[in-house]
Amino acid sequence: AIWENQLLECLGNIPDGVTVVVQTHGSIDMRRKLGKKLRELAKAVQEFKAFKSWERAKVVDWLKTTVQDKGLKIKTDAAELLAEVSGHSMAGLQNELEKLITYAGQDKEIAVENIKAVASQGDLAYFDLGEALRRRNIKAALILLERMFRDGEPFPAVLGYIASQVKFYLMVKELSATYRTDEVAKLLGRHPFFIEKIQPDLKKYTLQELQNLYYEFQPEADRTKVAVYGTPGFVSFASFGDTPVRGMF
């Protein structure tokens, strides 16, 4: 490619005292000329891969380690909230961390209150909605939904979020009947602290209620008439999502 040849030419003529940082979207084939040249010249080659959608536990651990490296502390619940409102993008997480470190000032710990103060109201609304649904606080959920729609949140995005939360709660409920908390966390790619935190709230739902809710969120064409776990009309997890437990049922 023309741009690759131009970059190779530039890399061959770097003046003394000049530091070049190369950032790409996607991976570089280190077997090609550009990859070999970068490895030849670079003092350090570090590849940052995006976290997968199911790797929340890895995101939380990365956040805690990164904050610790900067001389601060962050508890697991605060790291969970930050991952929830920032997503799994490395760039997004880095940006939020920089803002939080600045906001924290002389404080040695990034707390939940710091994250809520810095995060956008739209992101927090989704988080609060998930909390209300988990605790089966219908009144709070309806108030949040009214506010979100009034603020212009798109209906498909809100509906998709609710469906994803119901699916997750159903998976936790189903797996918790058979596996230990740490095993459930590993299967779902979440931190054991988080799974242990939400399990008591999910006792407010029966398994049948969550199954029925999840079924109602699926398009008519995707619904199955074959009983799964003895529940007529329940949609198998294998049909949806891209988590590690996909296809295991």
Side-chain angles (χ1 to χ4, degrees):
I2 296 177
W3 69 267
E4 188 172 339
N5 292 330
Q6 291 174 337
L7 182 55
L8 280 168
E9 184 179 348
C10 292
L11 291 173
N13 296 282
I14 301 174
D16 293 337
V18 174
T19 300
V20 177
V21 178
V22 178
Q23 179 179 346
T24 67
H25 293 283
S27 59
I28 295 177
D29 190 342
M30 302 308 286
R31 298 169 298 179
R32 295 175 62 87
K33 287 183 180 180
L34 178 58
K36 291 178 179 178
K37 190 67 174 179
L38 286 173
R39 195 172 291 281
E40 173 191 337
L41 296 174
K43 291 185 177 180
V45 175
Q46 187 171 6
E47 184 177 3
F48 295 94
K49 294 184 178 180
F51 293 105
K52 302 294 188 297
S53 60
W54 60 81
E55 295 181 322
R56 177 62 63 82
K58 290 185 179 180
V59 177
V60 171
D61 288 340
W62 179 84
L63 285 169
K64 294 172 73 173
T65 301
T66 303
V67 170
Q68 185 177 359
D69 290 343
K70 295 181 181 296
L72 300 174
K73 296 179 181 179
I74 183 170
K75 292 181 179 178
T76 302
D77 57 344
E80 280 280 355
L81 173 58
L82 182 55
E84 180 72 27
V85 299
S86 302
H88 292 184
S89 163
M90 293 289 286
L93 291 167
Q94 287 279 17
N95 289 337
E96 290 302 313
L97 273 182
E98 289 176 9
K99 289 192 292 184
L100 285 165
I101 290 170
T102 301
Y103 184 85
Q106 299 299 317
D107 294 337
K108 293 298 182 181
E109 181 176 332
I110 295 176
V112 169
E113 293 74 22
N114 300 136
I115 298 170
K116 288 186 175 181
V118 172
S120 72
Q121 292 304 306
D123 292 333
L124 285 176
Y126 280 97
F127 174 77
D128 289 338
L129 178 60
E131 292 286 285
L133 291 172
R134 190 184 82 215
R135 296 184 174 122
R136 201 163 184 167
N137 189 336
I138 306 302
K139 181 179 179 181
L142 290 174
I143 291 173
L144 283 163
L145 284 170
E146 181 182 6
R147 185 186 308 159
M148 291 169 75
F149 291 136
R150 187 175 64 241
D151 292 342
E153 289 294 332
F155 179 77
V158 175
L159 189 64
Y161 177 78
I162 295 175
S164 70
Q165 292 299 105
V166 171
K167 173 186 174 181
F168 179 69
Y169 300 154
L170 175 54
M171 295 167 85
V172 173
K173 184 90 172 177
E174 184 84 33
L175 292 171
S176 295
T178 306
Y179 298 97
R180 299 192 313 267
T181 298
D182 60 321
E183 293 174 325
V184 175
K186 186 175 181 180
L187 283 168
L188 298 180
R190 303 298 289 264
H191 200 283
F193 170 88
F194 179 71
I195 299 298
E196 186 176 10
K197 175 184 174 182
I198 71 172
Q199 281 174 328
D201 288 328
L202 295 184
K203 292 179 180 179
K204 298 175 182 178
Y205 293 94
T206 66
L207 183 62
Q208 182 72 62
E209 286 173 329
L210 288 172
Q211 289 173 339
N212 291 343
L213 279 170
Y214 185 62
Y215 176 72
E216 289 301 323
F217 276 111
Q218 306 313 316
E220 193 73 34
D222 292 335
R223 298 177 182 179
T224 175
K225 300 302 181 184
V226 179
V228 179
Y229 285 128
T231 306
F234 175 50
V235 182
S236 168
F237 288 135
S239 302
F240 300 93
D242 54 357
T243 67
V245 297
R246 174 176 163 185
M248 69 177 287
F249 297 100

